[in-house]
């Protein structure tokens, strides 16, 4: 057992150092090329030789990198929670339709007004109301999926139901899109590309606090999460209050996936793939190890994806949702082929 | 100790679901150090009874006491320190190691985050040793045979350190050798660790040979007692329709009817 803890500690140190270097690298790269030493200066708060560099780093790149950490880590943790709660290795914010729920919430807010009254509601929409709408949408779908999951024990059926929810929300979104103005549509489409940029420090603070609350609830659920690995009946026989624990886990997942999708748009595959990649490293199911590891791994991976999306020294930024899919889908296929089965 | 303590006592119990009572008028009592089998034909409600005893579903009517206190008067954690379960359902995650599964049995005693104390680790090691699982402890559950997995689940129940262990069909899917192995193991546990063990089974001949008490669920008499008493009463002969098998009181086993009917 001693050896295990040494291995875990080693991997944690490696993950943390990798995250730190990727973080600095992420900040040093961008459409404006800034010397590496100047980047470091700006991060630790010292003035740079050119004032605009300091401005770019402190007001644009730093919040963006921090957002990426929260988004990547938070989505990965929400994926882990869902895989345990649904006893399903393929669960994740995307597969179970939670992200579609968030899209529905966002779409209703951004484009729903025109369907109802013909007035353009877009002027009343700010980022907070967008976040609330998307969170509500994802909560709604999560609760419905949970109710269905209680009736249907079969995991394949559950996944198909999640996909169906995705289709339904996609259909509603396209109906809304059909009736909305070009301006509303554009705003929604940009949201749906996914973006970790554009968050002010104030918005970052909101995102950070809600992710923090989600993580705290996760922390309080660690013991029951481990018990759920045996199955719900066993968990109950171990003294876990099923109702309360399930509720806690759903709230944590909804907060994390909901608020992240609200601020950063739908970002695919991080929630599904990162828990599996982390289990490859740590070779354990223990949530006390997995939750922090999955957060670090998710944050690190999304920072990397963001570097790729950035296209160094180019003005263009690719949609991050596309990058995570291009990287994430092959990873899942590779895991399935190599391991034959995704163990969870 | 004058009379061994009763770990579970059941009076006039009705079990089933809101819409349908599966079985009623169930009475039995299992004391410390006793191994009790629940037998009966398929669909008679053995598993429903076991699930009711284990608080996985509510009882419909009657009295169900664990160590003298009604089951419903226990809180979640209190009950988890009295009853441990071995179920037929597969583990949600087969990727757990043997050690992880057994250590989870200590949850009713651990702190909010579930870290194992010195005492917890000692109990886990003791369960591992008792069920001869030391060499498998770092194996994943999906790498184990059915018999090994069953032993892991029993070790987990044992680590939970409860006076009462309930097992749902612990010998299904096992060959004769491993069936006997598991049942003898249960017998050793009740004798050496002063536990009460109640399990459902289809292995009537083995139950007659090994158990201290048997409950025959037939929805008529629901006879309960020591195997030899039940044989004397002819309780086993009523268990199945007589056209296929008959009970041989001399050998304590069922024989296939060979004469054409």
């Amino acid at each position: 057992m001693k050896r295990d803890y040494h291995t875990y500690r080693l991997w944690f140190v490696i993950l943390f150092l990798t995250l730190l270097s990727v973080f600095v690298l992420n900040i040093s790269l961008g459409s404006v090329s800034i010397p590496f030493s100047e980047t470091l200066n700006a991060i630790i708060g010292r003035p740079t030789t050119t004032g605009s560099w300091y401005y770019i780093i402190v007001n644009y790149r730093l919040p963006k990198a921090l957002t990426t950490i929260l988004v990547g880590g938070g989505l990965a943790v929400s994926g882990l929670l869902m895989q345990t709660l649904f006893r399903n290795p393929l669960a994740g914010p995307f597969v179970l339709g939670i992200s579609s729920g968030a899209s529905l919430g966002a779409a209703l807010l951004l484009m729903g007004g025109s369907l109802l009254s013909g007035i353009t509601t877009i002027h009343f929409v700010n980022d907070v109301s967008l976040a609330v709408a998307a969170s509500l949408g994802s909560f709604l779908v999560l609760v419905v999926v949970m109710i269905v999951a209680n009736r249907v024990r079969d995991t394949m059926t559950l996944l198909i139901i999640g996909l169906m929810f995705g289709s339904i929300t996609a259909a509603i979104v396209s109906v809304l899109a059909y009736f909305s103005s070009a301006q509303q549509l554009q705003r929604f489409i940009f949201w749906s590309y996914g973006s970790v940029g554009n968050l002010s420090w104030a918005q970052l603070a909101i995102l950070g606090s809600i992710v923090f609350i989600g993580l705290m609830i996760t922390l309080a659920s660690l013991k029951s999460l481990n018990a759920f690995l045996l199955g719900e009946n066993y968990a109950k026989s171990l003294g876990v209050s099923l109702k309360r624990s399930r509720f806690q886990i759903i709230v944590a997942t909804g907060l994390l996936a909901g608020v992240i999708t609200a601020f950063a748009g739908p970002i695919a595959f991080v929630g599904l793939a990162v828990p599996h990649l982390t289990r490859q490293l740590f070779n354990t199911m223990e949530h006390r190890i997995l939750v922090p590891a999955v957060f670090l791994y998710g944050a690190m991976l999304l920072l990397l994806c963001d570097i790729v999306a950035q296209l160094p020294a180019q003005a263009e930024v690719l949609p991050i949702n596309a990058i995570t899919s291009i990287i994430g889908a092959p990873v899942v296929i590779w895991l399935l082929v190599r391991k034959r089965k995704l163990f969870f | 100790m004058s009379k061994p303590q009763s770990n579970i006592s059941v009076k006039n119990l009705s079990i089933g679901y809101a819409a349908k009572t599966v079985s009623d008028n169930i009475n039995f009592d299992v004391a410390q150090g006793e191994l009790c089998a629940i037998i009966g034909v398929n669909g008679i409600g053995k598993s429903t009874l076991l699930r009711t005893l284990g608080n996985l579903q509510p009882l419909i009517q009657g009295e169900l006491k664990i160590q003298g206190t009604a089951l419903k008067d226990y809180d979640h954690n209190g009950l988890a320190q009295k009853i441990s379960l071995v179920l037929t359902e597969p583990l949600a995650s087969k990727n757990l190691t043997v050690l992880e599964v057994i250590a989870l049995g200590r949850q009713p005693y651990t702190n909010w985050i579930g870290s194992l104390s010195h005492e917890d680790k000692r109990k886990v090691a003791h369960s591992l040793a008792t069920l001869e699982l030391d060499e498998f402890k770092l194996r994943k559950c999906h790498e184990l045979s059915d018999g090994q997995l069953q032993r892991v689940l029993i070790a987990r129940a044992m680590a939970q350190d409860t006076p009462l262990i309930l097992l749902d069909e612990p010998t299904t899917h096992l060959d004769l050798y491993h069936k006997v192995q598991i049942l003898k193991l249960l017998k050793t546990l009740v004798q050496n660790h002063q536990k009460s063990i109640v399990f459902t089974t289809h292995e009537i001949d083995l139950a007659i040979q090994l158990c201290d008490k048997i409950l025959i669920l037939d929805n008529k008499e629901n006879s309960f007692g020591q195997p030899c008493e039940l044989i004397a009463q002819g309780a086993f002969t009523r268990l199945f329709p007589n056209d296929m098998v008959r009970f041989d009181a001399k050998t304590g086993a069922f024989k296939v009817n060979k004469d054409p009917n």
Side-chain angles (χ1 to χ4, degrees):
Chain A
M1 293 286 18
K2 275 254 158 58
R3 216 194 63 232
D4 273 2
Y5 283 110
H6 281 304
T7 327
Y8 294 152
R9 200 180 309 160
L10 180 68
W11 278 120
F12 268 117
V13 171
I14 293 175
L15 259 185
F16 185 75
L17 291 179
T18 319
L19 175 63
L20 206 65
S21 2
V22 177
F23 178 72
V24 176
L25 187 67
N26 184 290
I27 293 176
S28 72
L29 297 173
S31 48
V32 177
S33 67
I34 300 172
F36 191 69
S37 55
E38 295 292 314
T39 312
L40 286 180
N41 274 342
I43 292 175
I44 55 174
R46 271 192 282 170
T48 50
T49 42
T50 313
S52 63
W53 288 351
Y54 184 83
Y55 184 83
I56 288 173
I57 285 171
V58 169
N59 287 315
Y60 182 71
R61 291 192 190 173
L62 197 57
K64 178 159 164 277
L66 289 174
T67 307
T68 313
I69 287 179
L70 291 173
V71 169
L75 279 179
V77 170
S78 84
L80 175 69
L81 294 181
M82 259 180 272
Q83 291 174 5
T84 301
L85 186 65
F86 289 107
R87 306 174 291 277
N88 193 325
L90 288 179
F94 249 79
V95 180
L96 288 172
I98 283 100
S99 302
S100 327
S103 318
L104 182 63
L108 279 173
L109 184 74
L110 292 175
M111 311 186 292
S114 56
L115 188 62
L116 291 175
S117 54
I119 51 161
T120 314
T121 49
I122 200 152
H123 301 297
F124 307 112
V125 175
N126 60 30
D127 294 289
V128 175
S129 61
L130 183 60
V132 170
S135 301
L136 283 179
S138 61
F139 258 115
L140 183 77
V141 174
L142 195 60
V143 168
V144 176
V145 169
M146 196 67 211
I147 292 168
V148 176
N150 275 344
R151 289 165 180 272
V152 188
R153 295 251 141 195
D154 182 37
T155 49
M156 283 311 284
T157 318
L158 192 61
L159 286 184
I160 294 168
I161 290 170
L163 286 175
M164 292 305 114
F165 273 119
S167 304
I168 294 169
T169 49
I172 298 174
V173 169
S174 44
V175 170
L176 288 174
Y178 185 79
F179 286 105
S180 55
S181 69
Q183 192 197 7
Q184 292 170 318
L185 195 59
Q186 190 190 35
R187 184 144 183 211
F188 178 75
I189 286 183
F190 274 126
W191 177 82
S192 73
Y193 279 152
S195 160
V196 285
N198 308 331
L199 260 72
S200 67
W201 279 103
Q203 290 165 335
L204 181 60
I206 298 175
L207 175 68
S209 344
I210 297 179
V211 168
F212 180 77
I213 295 170
L215 291 177
M216 284 302 113
I217 300 174
T218 308
L219 219 57
S221 316
L222 283 180
K223 191 171 163 178
S224 28
L225 280 166
N226 282 332
F228 277 129
L229 292 175
L230 296 176
E232 290 193 345
N233 282 332
Y234 279 117
K236 189 176 181 196
S237 83
L238 283 169
V240 171
S241 161
L242 290 187
K243 257 190 201 154
R244 208 190 66 198
S245 305
R246 249 195 235 134
F247 180 74
Q248 274 185 10
I249 297 170
I250 288 183
V251 168
T253 313
L255 282 178
L256 289 171
V259 78
I260 287 170
T261 312
F263 277 111
I267 291 177
F269 280 100
V270 176
L272 169 60
V274 171
H276 290 292
L277 291 169
T278 314
R279 286 188 202 106
Q280 299 278 311
L281 277 190
F282 284 82
N283 198 25
T284 182
M285 298 297 290
E286 167 64 70
H287 286 85
R288 282 179 291 163
I289 306 286
L290 279 183
V291 168
V294 157
F295 186 90
L296 291 178
Y297 206 132
M300 187 265 286
L301 206 64
L302 199 63
L303 278 172
L304 271 178
C305 287
D306 184 53
I307 292 175
V308 176
Q310 193 100 243
L311 296 177
Q314 303 277 318
E316 302 295 324
V317 178
L318 297 176
I320 192 151
N321 193 7
I323 306 293
T324 54
S325 299
I326 288 167
I327 295 173
V331 163
V332 172
I333 293 170
W334 171 74
L335 281 173
L336 278 166
V337 171
R338 211 195 64 160
K339 290 259 151 187
R340 292 297 165 89
K341 202 170 174 246
L342 278 181
F343 278 113
F344 128 89
Chain B
M1 259 201 325
S2 51
K3 190 169 171 274
Q5 195 191 1
S6 161
N7 273 338
I8 182 165
S9 78
V10 165
K11 283 203 188 86
N12 291 320
L13 185 70
S14 302
I15 54 167
Y17 305 88
K20 183 173 172 266
T21 303
V22 175
S23 190
D24 56 6
N25 196 25
I26 303 169
N27 293 281
F28 69 94
D29 201 303
V30 185
Q32 211 171 57
E34 283 185 339
L35 179 63
C36 171
I38 300 171
I39 62 171
V41 297
N42 281 331
I44 199 84
K46 295 189 297 295
S47 289
T48 311
L49 175 58
L50 202 91
R51 288 170 55 85
T52 310
L53 299 180
N55 198 32
L56 294 182
Q57 66 183 71
L59 56 82
I60 301 215
Q61 232 173 16
E63 190 182 284
L64 168 52
K65 283 185 170 173
I66 308 296
Q67 291 196 327
T69 307
L71 184 95
K72 61 173 166 37
D73 291 341
Y74 283 98
D75 62 4
H76 289 293
N77 213 47
L79 196 63
Q81 298 184 6
K82 295 293 179 195
I83 303 178
S84 52
L85 303 177
V86 174
L87 304 168
T88 46
E89 62 185 45
L91 294 177
S93 166
K94 291 260 168 108
N95 204 22
L96 290 163
T97 64
V98 170
L99 197 63
E100 285 172 327
V101 171
I102 298 175
L104 280 173
R106 295 304 298 167
Q107 276 220 347
Y109 308 93
T110 54
N111 60 5
W112 70 277
I113 204 169
S115 31
L116 297 177
S117 70
H118 191 69
E119 169 76 359
D120 293 323
K121 284 181 186 154
R122 201 181 59 77
K123 298 257 177 180
V124 170
H126 180 62
S127 301
L128 269 173
T130 311
L131 284 118
E132 294 169 4
L133 288 164
D134 270 313
E135 54 176 314
F136 303 113
K137 71 177 181 187
L138 295 178
R139 292 258 195 102
K140 302 278 186 186
C141 285
H142 62 82
E143 299 168 338
L144 301 176
S145 71
D146 287 347
Q148 287 163 347
L149 189 60
Q150 200 58 257
R151 266 157 59 206
V152 172
L153 294 176
I154 295 172
R156 191 206 63 83
M158 205 188 144
Q160 203 175 332
D161 201 20
T162 55
L164 182 65
I165 301 179
L166 305 175
L167 303 94
D168 197 6
E169 306 205 4
T171 55
T172 321
H173 305 308
L174 301 183
D175 60 39
L176 183 63
Y177 177 83
H178 287 99
K179 280 186 207 289
V180 176
Q181 184 197 35
I182 293 289
L183 293 182
K184 289 192 85 160
L185 193 87
L186 297 180
K187 185 79 182 167
T188 328
L189 287 185
V190 294
Q191 282 170 346
N192 298 350
H193 299 272
Q194 290 305 305
K195 292 184 183 296
S196 299
I197 295 184
V198 179
F199 66 101
T200 60
T201 187
H202 287 292
E203 311 306 324
I204 301 174
D205 349 2
L206 293 176
I208 289 175
Q209 293 176 60
L210 285 164
C211 292
D212 302 296
K213 297 281 173 62
I214 292 180
L215 172 67
I216 304 177
L217 218 53
D218 57 9
N219 268 346
K220 289 190 281 277
E221 316 259 324
N222 292 341
S223 320
F224 172 73
Q226 293 174 11
C228 50
E229 293 170 3
L230 292 171
I231 293 174
Q233 291 166 14
F236 293 106
T237 52
R238 292 192 297 266
L239 190 57
F240 300 114
N242 280 323
D243 56 340
M244 290 288 185
V245 287
R246 73 193 152 75
F247 185 72
D248 182 13
K250 272 189 231 101
T251 53
F254 283 88
K255 297 271 154 56
V256 176
N257 277 343
K258 290 213 177 97
D259 40 323
N261 36 351

